[in-house]
């Protein structure tokens, strides 16, 4: 048998004898079909054909045609050793050796489908030309061998200009160089690169590019194939969705950050800080001075003459011009026919997107405007902070340098931010007004002049709670009783605000009225508890208050105390200790229940008092700290009272130093009484003696 012919490009060769038995089977065929030579040699070729395939003719018919015409071409479906089908295109020729014996030379080329004849090739050509995706094939030198019209449209260049050129020659720097590097990497490694995003021609839009290495059936590298898709719209929609998510997140964050604030300056500062740099490069919050100082809504729309103050500022970067453009606490001047004046008087937002408009935003030659131009500000918005159509101030945001200018979508979203901030500002204004009213009522109901009966020296303090806490119901009183006795009272009505202050006034009046009857402390508290329902503001509300009522008889130097759920009193002994300071005792008075609980019997404790002892009555705001045991506060107060003080007033100031500035706290009431007694012990003529 002569040497078998060498297979053409893309195919493998087998040899059959004239009866269709396999006589030659090489490694290439084994790679294609999986069968080894030991298994197939000597077997009929039709044993490898898949009966479920699409072969147009039977093996015997194919062989008969070959013997009569000396050639045959067509598609067959063969069975792989693993069981799957392998579609091949066959070109067979009849040959005769020197002895006149016939044999068949067949070249097999694996195909991607059951047919790669003229119809199949035409389908591939049609798909290549009509594909909406840009398709290009490059040789191993990365020069374009073929491209379709879709690619030409995406590149904005005629199709003929693509052929024979590399991508860096077609597209240019820097996109062309980057794509050429990717092609070389794919050609070298065989690893495909999928969905790589690149800018479109001349920076217009975006393209998705995928590259894969091309190989023939013998796994020889023949080039690189690329597909290109316009993803400009997809990117635009994705960017819109991303912006929407960012804006929703910013709106939610702003709401949560402002929710716990009840001071207008604090709200202004946090508002500006929240917007920079997530929405703007610089931000300022300008508020009408009357809103801050008077807590009242303006009766008339603000004008260019209305005093304004800048309460909140934030900047992306700290530069000298920033301090001139945004200075905390500065007064803001406005020209009559400026954009700021327009925003204030009409309540309509103003969008400024040019240097000329920026210069006329406030007044001519405004230093803040000059500073903004130095910072590269090119776009700004002035957003009225409105409540019910009434302007409280302006939120001003700026963008500079490379940041995109504000557009009308930004303006619409910024008004939502301003609306949420306006609600917080109005809540703070209303809270400040109610708190001021409650404090005014509370001060009016407090004793304006505390008497100093014989035998007693008095010092007191009242400190309202922090701005986060409404005015409470803390109170104290000192009353001269019959027979020279003195009533010392301190209490705390539960709740805050106007109702608590008003309830405190009713309770103080009731205690003072009943004290005239010269009742013992426990009996007085029992009466107050019994009428607590009458002191409440309505049938659905109840009066609950803590109280200490003490009666001191300076002639007998005896004190009787009863307690209704209040923090315990302390007494400071007059004699100094050897190691310095004085002994402070927490008086063991039964705690009892708060007034208003009902059904509780109160107890009183009487004890003799040494001259110059100091009785300390106080409310829980002095000793209670969030997250701390009350015992720690009692120890701090005891230690402070034990220190030597020049006077009762100095002692009050020393005790109040326990209240840390800047911390959230309740109201504090403190009453210190130095029990000096009387020099003589005159006989008592009226009044009942307190029991012990």
């Amino acid at each position: 048998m002569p040497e078998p012919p060498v297979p053409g490009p893309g195919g493998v060769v087998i040899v059959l004898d004239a009866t269709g038995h396999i006589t030659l089977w090489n490694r290439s065929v084994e790679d294609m079909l999986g069968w080894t030579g030991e298994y197939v040699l000597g077997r009929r070729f039709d044993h490898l054909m898949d009966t479920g395939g699409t072969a147009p003719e039977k093996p015997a018919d194919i062989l008969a045609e070959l013997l009569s015409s000396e050639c045959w071409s067509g598609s067959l479906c063969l069975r792989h050793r693993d069981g799957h089908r392998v579609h091949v295109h066959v070109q067979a020729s009849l040959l005769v050796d020197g002895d006149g014996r016939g044999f068949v030379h067949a070249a097999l080329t694996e195909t991607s489908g059951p047919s790669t004849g003229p119809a199949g090739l035409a389908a591939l050509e049609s798909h290549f030309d009509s594909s909406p995706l840009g398709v290009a094939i490059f040789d191993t030198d990365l020069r374009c061998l073929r491209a379709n019209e879709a690619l030409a449209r995406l590149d904005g260049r005629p199709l003929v200009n693509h052929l024979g050129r590399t991508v860096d020659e077609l597209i240019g720097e820097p996109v062309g160089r980057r794509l050429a590097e990717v092609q070389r990497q794919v050609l070298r490694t065989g690893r495909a690169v999928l969905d790589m995003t690149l800018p479109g021609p001349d920076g217009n839009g975006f393209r998705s590019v995928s590259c894969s290495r091309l190989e023939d059936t013998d796994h020889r590298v023949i080039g690189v194939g690329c597909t290109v898709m316009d993803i400009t719209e997809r990117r635009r929609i994705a960017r819109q969705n991303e912006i929407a998510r960012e804006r929703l997140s910013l709106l939610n964050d702003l709401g949560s950050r402002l929710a716990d604030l009840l001071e207008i300056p604090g709200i202004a500062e946090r508002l500006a800080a929240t917007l920079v740099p997530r929405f703007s490069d610089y931000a300022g919050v300008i508020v009408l001075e009357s809103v801050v100082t008077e807590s009242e809504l303006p009766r008339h729309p603000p004008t260019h003459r209305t005093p304004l103050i800048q309460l909140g500022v934030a900047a992306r970067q700290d530069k000298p011009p920033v301090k001139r453009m945004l200075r905390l606490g500065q007064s803001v001047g406005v020209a009559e026919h400026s954009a700021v004046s327009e925003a204030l008087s009409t309540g309509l937002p103003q969008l400024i997107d040019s240097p000329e408009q920026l210069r006329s935003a406030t007044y001519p030659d405004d230093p803040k405007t000059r500073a903004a131009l130095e910072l590269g500000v090119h776009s700004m918005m002035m957003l009225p902070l409105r409540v019910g159509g009434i302007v409280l101030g302006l939120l001003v945001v700026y963008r500079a340098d490379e940041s995109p200018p504000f557009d009308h979508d930004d303006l619409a979203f910024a008004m939502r931010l301003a609306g949420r901030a306006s609600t917080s500002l109005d809540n703070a204004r209303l809270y400040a007004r109610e708190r001021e009213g409650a404090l005014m009522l509370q001060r009016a109901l407090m004793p304006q002049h505390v008497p100093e009966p014989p035998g007693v020296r008095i010092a007191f303090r009242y400190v309202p709670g922090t701005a986060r806490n409404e005015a409470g119901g803390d109170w104290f009183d000192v009353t001269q009783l019959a027979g020279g006795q003195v009533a010392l009272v301190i209490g705390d009505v539960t709740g805050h605000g106007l109702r608590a202050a008003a309830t405190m006034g009713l309770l103080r009046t009731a205690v003072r009225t009943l004290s005239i009857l010269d009742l013992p402390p426990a009996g007085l508290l029992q009466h107050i508890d019994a009428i607590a329902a009458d002191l409440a503001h309505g049938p659905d509300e109840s009066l609950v208050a803590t109280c200490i009522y003490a009666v001191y008889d300076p002639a007998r130097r005896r004190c009787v105390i009863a307690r209704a759920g209040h923090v315990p009193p302390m007494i400071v002994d007059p004699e100094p200790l050897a190691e310095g300071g004085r002994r402070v005792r927490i008086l063991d008075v039964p705690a009892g229940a708060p007034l208003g609980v009902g059904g509780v019997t109160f107890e009183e404790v009487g004890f003799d008092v040494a001259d110059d002892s100091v009785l300390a009555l106080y409310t829980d705001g002095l000793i209670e700290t969030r997250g701390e045991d009350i015992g720690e506060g009692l120890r701090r107060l005891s230690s402070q009272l034990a220190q030597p003080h020049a006077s009762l007033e100095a002692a009050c100031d020393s005790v109040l130093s326990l209240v840390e500035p800047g911390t959230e706290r309740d109201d504090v009431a403190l009453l210190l009484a130095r029990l000096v007694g009387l020099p003589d012990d005159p006989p008592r003529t009226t009044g009942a003696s307190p029991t012990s």
Side-chain angles (χ1 to χ4, degrees):
M1 178 181 296
E3 291 295 324
V6 178
V12 296
V13 170
I14 63 172
V15 176
L16 314 176
D17 62 15
T19 61
H21 290 79
I22 300 172
T23 60
L24 177 65
W25 188 269
N26 60 25
R27 181 60 181 270
S28 298
V29 192
E30 182 177 334
D31 292 341
M32 179 188 292
L33 298 176
W35 303 103
T36 62
E38 290 80 358
Y39 177 81
V40 299
L41 288 175
R43 293 177 179 269
R44 289 179 58 86
F45 180 67
D46 56 344
H47 289 169
L48 301 181
M49 296 180 64
D50 192 313
T51 56
T54 57
E57 302 178 67
K58 296 181 180 180
D61 297 333
I62 295 174
L63 194 57
E65 182 180 346
L66 177 62
L67 293 174
S68 62
S69 61
E70 299 185 355
C71 65
W72 184 87
S73 177
S75 298
L76 295 177
C77 183
L78 305 181
R79 187 176 70 257
H80 194 278
R81 183 178 181 180
D82 294 339
H84 66 269
R85 297 172 182 174
V86 179
H87 299 283
V88 296
H89 183 72
V90 181
Q91 288 184 323
S93 301
L94 178 63
L95 302 176
V96 179
D97 63 11
D99 297 329
R101 291 175 298 183
F103 64 94
V104 177
H105 167 270
L108 281 61
T109 303
E110 186 175 358
T111 64
S112 58
S115 174
T116 57
L121 294 176
L124 291 175
E125 291 288 333
S126 175
H127 176 71
F128 186 90
D129 292 333
S130 64
S131 172
L133 303 180
V135 182
I137 297 174
F138 297 82
D139 61 18
T140 53
D141 293 328
L142 299 182
R143 295 193 173 276
C144 183
L145 295 175
R146 184 157 182 197
N148 63 359
E149 289 292 343
L151 181 69
R153 289 192 298 271
L154 289 173
D155 286 350
R157 296 173 178 83
L159 183 59
V160 67
N161 289 359
H162 291 71
L163 302 180
R165 296 187 178 182
T166 61
V167 290
D168 50 350
E169 293 173 345
L170 282 168
I171 302 176
E173 300 286 352
V175 178
R177 184 179 73 250
R178 180 183 175 190
L179 184 53
E181 292 173 355
V182 170
Q183 286 182 324
R184 283 191 288 270
Q185 176 185 342
V186 171
L187 193 66
R188 183 178 68 256
T189 64
R191 289 193 295 270
V193 173
L194 304 177
D195 199 20
M196 178 178 60
T197 300
L198 295 173
D202 302 323
N204 297 321
F206 295 90
R207 305 290 185 261
S208 171
V209 180
S210 299
C211 299
S212 59
R213 191 168 70 181
L214 302 178
E215 301 177 356
D216 63 15
T217 55
D218 288 331
H219 305 294
R220 291 176 296 190
V221 177
I222 59 175
V224 175
C226 295
T227 58
V228 183
M229 179 171 59
D230 187 349
I231 59 170
T232 303
E233 183 66 12
R234 186 177 80 184
R235 290 270 300 213
R236 186 185 67 81
I237 294 174
R239 178 57 183 161
Q240 286 180 339
N241 292 337
E242 181 183 357
I243 291 174
R245 286 193 297 270
E246 291 174 352
R247 287 179 172 177
L248 180 60
S249 174
L250 178 57
L251 198 62
N252 291 336
D253 287 349
L254 180 65
S256 62
R257 292 182 182 183
L258 299 184
D260 62 341
L261 296 179
L262 289 172
E263 293 178 296
I264 291 177
I267 291 173
E269 289 180 15
R270 192 166 294 181
L271 170 59
T274 302
L275 300 187
V276 177
R278 295 172 65 180
F279 183 68
S280 63
D281 296 316
Y282 306 95
V285 180
I286 302 169
V287 181
L288 276 63
E289 285 189 6
S290 60
V291 174
V292 181
T293 57
E294 302 173 11
S295 302
E296 294 292 337
L297 290 174
R299 296 181 180 180
H300 306 287
T303 67
H304 64 284
R305 294 188 178 92
T306 302
L308 304 171
I309 184 171
Q310 190 153 253
L311 290 184
V313 298
R316 189 166 196 164
Q317 52 186 340
D318 187 15
K319 292 182 177 180
V322 173
K323 295 181 180 178
R324 301 200 305 272
M325 183 178 75
L326 300 171
R327 190 169 72 249
L328 198 62
Q330 70 174 334
S331 298
V332 178
V334 181
E336 183 174 0
H337 299 293
S338 63
V340 174
S341 176
E342 183 77 10
L344 286 171
S345 60
T346 65
L348 298 176
Q350 303 293 312
L351 173 60
I352 293 175
D353 54 7
S354 70
E356 292 73 20
Q357 290 180 321
L358 189 62
R359 291 187 182 93
S360 62
T362 53
Y363 59 86
D365 205 30
D366 183 358
K368 295 188 295 297
T369 300
R370 295 201 307 269
L373 294 172
E374 288 180 42
L375 291 170
V377 171
H378 52 70
S379 179
M380 66 180 290
M381 293 189 294
M382 285 166 286
L383 311 157
L385 300 169
R386 299 177 302 182
V387 175
I390 299 176
V391 176
L392 305 181
L394 294 176
L395 167 62
V396 186
V397 290
Y398 310 79
R399 283 185 181 171
D401 299 329
E402 302 301 322
S403 298
F406 290 118
D407 56 25
H408 289 284
D409 287 341
D410 293 322
L411 183 65
F413 171 68
M415 284 305 298
R416 295 181 64 189
L417 294 171
R420 187 155 296 190
S422 300
T423 301
S424 295
L425 286 173
D426 194 46
N427 289 340
R429 181 190 63 82
L430 292 173
Y431 168 78
R433 185 176 67 178
E434 180 176 344
R435 183 172 185 270
E436 185 61 32
L439 288 173
M440 188 180 301
L441 176 62
Q442 190 173 31
R443 292 188 185 101
L445 295 174
M446 285 281 197
Q448 303 303 307
H449 303 284
V450 175
E452 282 202 359
V456 180
R457 302 292 179 267
I458 300 295
F460 60 89
R461 294 288 187 275
Y462 170 73
V463 181
T466 53
R468 284 183 52 84
N469 294 308
E470 299 179 83
D474 293 19
W475 60 283
F476 60 88
D477 207 351
V478 178
T479 306
Q480 176 76 59
L481 303 179
Q485 298 182 97
V486 180
L488 305 168
V489 191
I490 196 164
D492 185 2
V493 176
T494 58
H496 295 86
L498 288 170
R499 288 186 179 275
T503 303
M504 176 271 290
L506 293 173
L507 182 59
R508 174 175 176 259
T509 301
V511 171
R512 178 175 277 264
T513 301
L514 288 174
S515 67
I516 298 175
L517 301 177
D518 209 9
L519 296 172
L524 184 140
L525 293 181
Q526 207 74 54
H527 278 74
I528 294 295
D529 186 62
I531 65 172
D534 295 330
L535 296 177
H537 290 282
D540 297 330
E541 298 183 17
S542 60
L543 180 147
V544 178
T546 65
C547 181
I548 287 181
Y549 188 79
V551 174
Y552 173 62
D553 186 343
R556 299 176 58 195
R557 291 168 174 79
R558 186 164 182 80
C559 186
V560 182
I561 300 179
R563 183 157 66 117
H566 202 80
V567 288
M570 295 184 181
I571 193 161
V572 184
D573 291 344
E575 296 299 326
L577 300 173
E579 59 273 17
R582 300 177 188 273
R583 184 165 72 107
V584 178
R585 291 175 290 143
I586 298 176
L587 295 176
D588 187 14
V589 180
L595 299 172
V597 172
V600 179
T601 300
F602 296 96
E603 301 179 50
E604 60 188 41
V605 171
F607 53 93
D608 294 329
V609 182
D611 287 350
D612 287 330
S613 297
V614 176
L615 179 66
L617 305 179
Y618 52 93
T619 55
D620 56 7
L622 184 61
I623 61 172
E624 288 186 350
T625 302
R626 187 186 301 272
E628 182 184 75
D629 184 76
I630 192 173
E632 292 296 325
L634 290 171
R635 281 189 285 273
R636 281 197 301 269
L637 176 57
S638 175
S639 175
Q640 205 72 16
L641 289 171
Q643 303 301 317
H645 300 106
S647 64
L648 279 184
E649 295 294 332
C652 284
D653 293 337
S654 175
V655 168
L656 287 183
S657 68
L658 295 174
V659 180
E660 296 183 14
T663 59
E664 298 177 19
R665 54 174 174 77
D666 202 353
D667 293 14
V668 173
L670 173 66
L671 179 62
L672 298 182
R674 186 183 300 279
L675 310 179
V676 298
L678 296 175
D680 300 318
D681 191 7
R684 298 183 60 196
T685 58
T686 60
S689 300
T691 59
S692 56

